[in-house]
Amino acid sequence: MKTEDLNNINIAIVGGGYAGVTAALALSQIGANVTVYEQAHATGEVGAGIGLRPASIKLFRKLGIFDDIAAVTSPSKAFDIVDAQGNPITTEEWPQKDGDENTTRMIHRRDFIDALTKNLPEGMLQLDHKLIDLKDNGNSATLTFANGNEVTADLVVGADGIRSKVREIFGHYEPVPAFAHAYRVVLDGSEAQGLLTDDNLRLYLDSETGNMIYFLPLRHRGPNGQVSFDITVLSDDTSWSPQVTREEILHAIRNFDERLIRMVENMDLDKVNFRSAFDIDPVETWNSDSIVLIGDAAHAMLHHQGQGANSAVIDGGALADALRNADSLTSALANFVAERKEPTQALQRISRESWNQESASTSAFPEKDQISY
């Protein structure tokens, strides 16, 4: 689209997470008028660590925020998959590195969202805006918020997560339970029982129970470094925030390395984030002429391949590229969906397969032959 056309487009982004903020950065840099509406009263992200893949790092360089990302990350060489006792199953370097400068980098979720939001132009992020109604007018859309504000925009970007309100306009997609719990906590390196030795992501896999422990190093954080510790266990309990005792966790990880067991024995359960794992079924329709879905609103996926956040930020960059390169908003949205729908739905399918001894011994990255990044 021509610069003058982009300058006249008003875009409302619903959701101030990774997808929404990255999209805002990218869209504002091509000249669009962007406002991000976030329902929370304050910014921030709880939880644990993630790995930013090479394609995401490449995008951050393009957006001019790589230095801010690099300041709160550690580069990683490989993904190590081991059995419950730490015996090697597979070690594989991160795929499709675009040179060492764009290698996967480990980051805490809070540091990530802070690095993104601090680069937004002042006033672009509007807090305390919970969407309660959305009307598609054809060539525009009108949003109504719980605080009484009403906004009409040329384009509404639904970046409001797995329980997206924007997505409801395209159909009813409830979160789908994976019948698994994820218990996540960030621990000081001094509590890691000597296991925090490098910057590689490590997956401990118990072939007997199917339970897993993700051990993600954050050695750049604090004088001792930190580790993001994620215990994933099978469970029939699908409550959003399950109530779990230490004894139940210890029973679930009974076959694991005694050092991992000691970490659980010593950890402060008040600091643990307890969640059931959910994704969504593939969404058939992502857009109209004035509304489009990105991130988890379009393709929420399970955490086993670590691609949820990466897919979300890549969506944001791809949406801006689509607007810049197309002749009209309508064709831009069609091009964006055509580019992003197939690879992200492939990742949804692969992530649902989780891990077992056979798949882990084949490759640490089963997605690498099915997607282009």
Side-chain angles (χ1 to χ4, degrees):
M1 297 177 68
K2 295 179 180 179
T3 301
E4 56 266 32
D5 294 330
L6 290 168
N7 293 161
N8 289 324
I9 291 179
N10 292 312
I11 300 176
I13 298 176
V14 182
Y18 313 133
V21 176
T22 303
L25 286 169
L27 290 165
S28 63
Q29 288 185 10
I30 65 171
N33 300 304
V34 183
T35 304
V36 181
Y37 298 98
E38 166 58 40
Q39 68 176 354
H41 300 291
T43 60
E45 175 73 29
V46 298
I50 54 176
L52 298 176
R53 298 293 185 89
S56 299
I57 297 300
K58 187 175 182 179
L59 173 60
F60 297 141
R61 290 184 184 277
K62 179 181 178 181
L63 296 177
I65 64 170
F66 170 76
D67 288 345
D68 290 330
I69 297 293
V72 290
T73 59
S74 291
S76 176
K77 292 183 178 180
F79 181 13
D80 300 329
I81 303 179
V82 300
D83 67 16
Q85 290 296 317
N87 300 306
I89 298 176
T90 297
T91 293
E92 194 170 349
E93 291 189 357
W94 297 98
Q96 299 185 4
K97 293 194 300 184
D98 186 15
D100 289 339
E101 63 180 4
N102 285 336
T103 190
T104 292
R105 305 183 75 94
M106 300 301 172
I107 191 169
H108 189 282
R109 292 173 182 268
R110 175 60 187 264
D111 295 340
F112 185 25
I113 199 67
D114 286 349
L116 291 173
T117 54
K118 79 176 187 179
N119 281 282
L120 290 178
E122 186 175 357
M124 185 172 288
L125 177 61
Q126 297 292 310
L127 302 175
D128 194 24
H129 278 73
K130 180 179 180 179
L131 182 68
I132 59 173
D133 189 57
L134 175 63
K135 181 181 180 182
D136 190 336
N137 306 316
N139 60 358
S140 69
T142 300
L143 309 98
T144 303
F145 298 98
N147 61 11
N149 289 349
E150 185 175 282
V151 174
T152 297
D154 300 301
L155 173 62
V156 170
V157 179
D160 50 341
I162 189 171
R163 295 188 282 188
S164 170
K165 181 69 175 177
V166 176
R167 189 176 62 232
E168 292 178 4
I169 206 162
F170 300 124
H172 190 66
Y173 293 87
E174 284 290 335
V176 177
F179 297 100
H181 288 172
Y183 313 138
R184 298 178 175 128
V185 65
V186 174
L187 301 174
D188 189 79
S190 62
E191 303 173 87
Q193 299 293 320
L195 292 171
L196 185 59
T197 58
D198 58 34
D199 295 305
N200 290 350
L201 172 64
R202 194 180 312 144
L203 168 61
Y204 293 86
L205 177 61
D206 180 6
S207 59
E208 178 186 329
T209 65
N211 296 334
M212 295 169 279
I213 295 178
Y214 292 90
F215 189 99
L216 189 149
L218 298 166
R219 293 201 300 169
H220 56 281
R221 274 188 135 224
N224 301 314
Q226 294 180 342
V227 58
S228 176
F229 195 67
D230 180 327
I231 303 169
T232 300
V233 305
L234 302 180
S235 176
D236 291 330
D237 175 13
T238 60
S239 55
W240 196 263
S241 300
Q243 302 296 310
V244 183
T245 67
R246 191 187 309 272
E247 289 69 27
E248 288 172 317
I249 302 173
L250 289 171
H251 178 73
I253 65 167
R254 61 191 180 278
N255 295 334
F256 285 83
D257 186 315
E258 62 180 12
R259 292 170 292 181
L260 299 171
I261 293 174
R262 284 199 298 269
M263 290 174 67
V264 173
E265 289 173 339
N266 296 332
M267 71 173 51
D268 183 353
L269 290 191
D270 289 338
K271 296 180 179 179
V272 179
N273 181 262
F274 295 94
R275 288 288 183 269
S276 289
F278 291 86
D279 66 359
I280 57 174
D281 289 328
V283 176
E284 181 177 351
T285 301
W286 284 26
N287 74 290
S288 66
D289 288 341
S290 58
I291 302 169
V292 68
L293 302 175
I294 66 173
D296 282 357
H299 47 70
M301 59 190 72
L302 298 179
H303 60 286
H304 299 300
Q305 302 306 321
Q307 287 281 13
N310 286 280
S311 296
V313 301
I314 292 170
D315 282 352
L319 181 61
D321 288 344
L323 262 69
R324 186 183 62 239
N325 296 330
D327 294 330
S328 67
L329 180 58
T330 300
S331 61
L333 298 183
N335 292 342
F336 165 76
V337 173
E339 176 186 350
R340 296 298 297 149
K341 192 174 187 180
E342 183 177 347
T344 54
Q345 292 187 346
L347 284 171
Q348 283 182 296
R349 293 191 298 271
I350 295 167
S351 296
R352 275 188 175 180
E353 294 171 3
S354 185
W355 292 103
N356 56 50
Q357 191 80 16
E358 181 180 355
S359 64
S361 62
T362 301
S363 174
F365 305 104
E367 79 279 10
K368 66 183 180 182
D369 294 328
Q370 299 189 43
I371 60 173
S372 60
Y373 60 87

